[in-house]
Amino acid sequence: MIVCVVGLGKIGLPLAVQCASKGHRVIGADIDASVVERVNAACEPFPGEAGLAERLRAAVDAGMVHATTDTVAAVGKSDVVVVVVPVVVDDSGAPDFGWIDDATRAIAKGLRPGALVAYETTLPVGTTRERFLPMLAEGSGLRAGADFSVAYSPERVFSGRVFADLRRYPKLVGGVDEASTRRAVAFYTAVLDFDERPDLARPNGVWDLPGTEAAEFAKLAETTYRDVNIALANQFARFADAAGVDIYRVIEAANSQPFSHIHTPGIAVGGHCIPVYPRFYLWRDPSATVVRAARDANAEMPAYAVDLLAAAYGDLTGARVVVLGVAYRGGVKEAAFSGAFPTVEALRRRGADPVVHDPLFTSDELRRMALVPYLLGEPVDAVVVHTDHALYRRLGARDFPGVRVVVDGRRVTDPDLWAGVTRRMIGAP
Ligand SMILES: NC(=O)c1ccc[n+]([C@@H]2O[C@H](COP(=O)([O-])OP(=O)(O)OC[C@H]3O[C@@H](n4cnc5c(N)ncnc54)[C@H](O)[C@@H]3O)[C@@H](O)[C@H]2O)c1
């Protein structure tokens, strides 16, 4: 079997290498020539993916993985085409299909009879059947169903641990028709291995779902659930602040009941998925009041953290405030949709002078994101902890000369190191 993976990013490249490790030849297609060049030289194009460097080297040396910018030609040689090209949201919350539409048009031009096309990018429900299927049929001149198969199978992995997650979670698959589902189940069964999971309802492996819509929905359901859960924790935290109760103790107690899985609160609800995929859901179900309210509640948290700061500090006009962490999650160098940006905005609206620190980003990188870098040891009036980087557990008042107030949005600061400074935490008395 020859497999074409379209989009050699943080998710597509590990998947390509995984297919090759199971004895299938893989052609990787990407519009970025520098990515293609690096893959063919067996150099990983991005750092931080466990096991990728060695596995890529082995696959390229064995002649099992080759990359190209010519998607049409690559698809023309392939039995299966897997698409992992991003869809983003624009400022109004609507999905922007520009890249994946381009990829789909190129795939249609190269598509050969008998091929299976499997989309893995997270999509609004209905996109595979209503948008891509007609594009593939029209562009190829082939009959959908009769001449080629189409399926949807979400990526349920975290970048950094893709190989482990591919084994850990069932691979969900839904086709546009029964034959497509069967083809896709056979394909993923051939390229993946799974851990034993006695805790699951069905044996761990490839799980067929009734149609592409169910598979698309499953991915949005899991990410939207997390957003709603975090919003609930954030709302509880705000009430806990008003009631003088420690929300972490409350959540710990509530979660001792098996039906409670309450998340922890925080300013940072960022990352690739959590702020974006609930909007994909809302785009198709605008009546989903619970989902919309949750998204709004989470989006309010940066401004709420700054309100807490102002309540403790007083007028912030002219105050130099350092935001600790721009990454959306501790230890991960990724700032997409990070809560640090609205936190900086909220500080500016109050007349403060916000500066930003993150051990994973250089000063130049911070400047390119329109942020003002801060170096530890410089004088500052107040601190807002946005990201749970390990370093921030070890920092204290002496690292921030002049600091009067610290607002800890992730509950990582050590009270002993902040003695003499007013310390406020989200959801704490
Ligand atoms: N990153 C994650 O943690 C994660 C987790 C789960 C699911 N996903 C899903 O995977 C998708 C891809 O994420 P990623 O992190 O791999 O993205 P990425 O930005 O790392 O990589 C995307 C790649 O696609 C290429 N590309 C863009 N347009 C193309 C085209 N027309 N033809 C061929 N290649 C094209 C880009 O050059 C880039 O190399 C996401 O949109 C998301 O739906 C990502």
Side-chain angles (χ1 to χ4, degrees), residues 121-376:
T121 303
T122 306
L123 299 172
V125 177
T127 306
T128 305
R129 189 187 304 277
E130 292 162 27
R131 189 177 189 96
F132 299 142
L133 187 64
M135 283 172 82
L136 290 170
E138 199 174 306
S140 65
L142 299 174
R143 289 165 305 156
D147 297 333
F148 67 96
S149 303
V150 177
Y152 178 76
S153 177
E155 276 287 359
R156 311 172 75 203
V157 299
F158 254 49
S159 55
R161 50 169 220 220
V162 173
F163 294 108
D165 283 353
L166 283 172
R167 299 181 61 96
R168 187 172 304 151
Y169 303 117
K171 189 71 174 143
L172 309 180
V173 168
V176 291
D177 50 38
E178 278 182 27
S180 293
T181 306
R182 278 198 302 276
R183 277 288 306 278
V185 169
F187 165 65
Y188 284 110
T189 305
V191 298
L192 298 176
D193 293 308
F194 294 93
D195 296 333
E196 288 267 339
R197 289 277 308 271
D199 57 313
L200 297 174
R202 291 162 66 176
N204 197 7
V206 183
W207 288 12
D208 58 329
L209 290 171
T212 49
E213 292 78 5
E216 291 163 338
F217 196 173
K219 171 74 186 186
L220 294 187
E222 68 192 44
T223 47
T224 302
Y225 167 80
R226 284 193 63 205
D227 203 34
V228 172
N229 193 332
I230 294 167
L232 184 66
N234 280 332
Q235 211 147 61
F236 284 165
R238 294 174 70 157
F239 176 67
D241 280 337
V245 175
D246 183 338
I247 193 61
Y248 280 73
R249 301 297 297 277
V250 171
I251 290 175
E252 187 183 57
N255 283 351
S256 66
Q257 214 281 347
F259 295 108
S260 296
H261 303 283
I262 306 171
H263 223 278
T264 49
I267 322 175
V269 186
H272 225 72
C273 316
I274 301 302
V276 175
Y277 300 152
R279 298 214 211 143
F280 283 7
Y281 178 76
L282 282 167
W283 192 61
R284 294 311 295 263
D285 183 7
S287 68
T289 50
V290 172
V291 177
R292 188 173 303 281
R295 192 80 293 283
D296 291 347
N298 284 333
E300 273 173 22
M301 289 309 284
Y304 177 70
V306 174
D307 289 348
L308 279 186
L309 174 64
Y313 183 92
D315 183 4
L316 286 168
T317 310
R320 193 158 192 251
V321 182
V322 58
V323 176
L324 293 185
V326 66
Y328 75 86
R329 176 155 60 95
V332 176
K333 189 177 176 180
E334 161 109 49
F337 303 98
S338 164
F341 299 105
T343 305
V344 164
E345 275 311 306
L347 287 165
R348 287 201 181 118
R349 276 199 302 278
R350 283 186 175 263
D353 174 20
V355 290
V356 175
H357 175 272
D358 192 303
L360 299 181
F361 291 84
T362 65
S363 293
D364 274 347
E365 285 171 329
L366 294 176
R367 277 190 212 99
R368 279 199 290 277
M369 293 187 274
L371 300 169
V372 181
Y374 169 84
L375 299 177
L376 294 175

Side-chain angles (χ1 to χ4, degrees), residues 5-14 29-33 35 45-46 68-69 71 83-88 98-104 106-107 120-123 152 154-160 162 219 223 272-273 277 280 328-329 334:
V5 175
V6 182
L8 294 176
K10 293 182 284 296
I11 305 301
L13 184 56
D30 200 292
I31 48 166
D32 185 335
V35 168
F46 45 84
T68 175
T69 53
T71 303
V83 191
V84 208
V85 170
V87 173
V88 290
W99 286 343
I100 201 163
D101 281 354
D102 286 350
T104 300
I107 292 164
E120 295 211 0
T121 303
T122 306
L123 299 172
Y152 178 76
E155 276 287 359
R156 311 172 75 203
V157 299
F158 254 49
S159 55
V162 173
K219 171 74 186 186
T223 47
H272 225 72
C273 316
Y277 300 152
F280 283 7
Y328 75 86
R329 176 155 60 95
E334 161 109 49

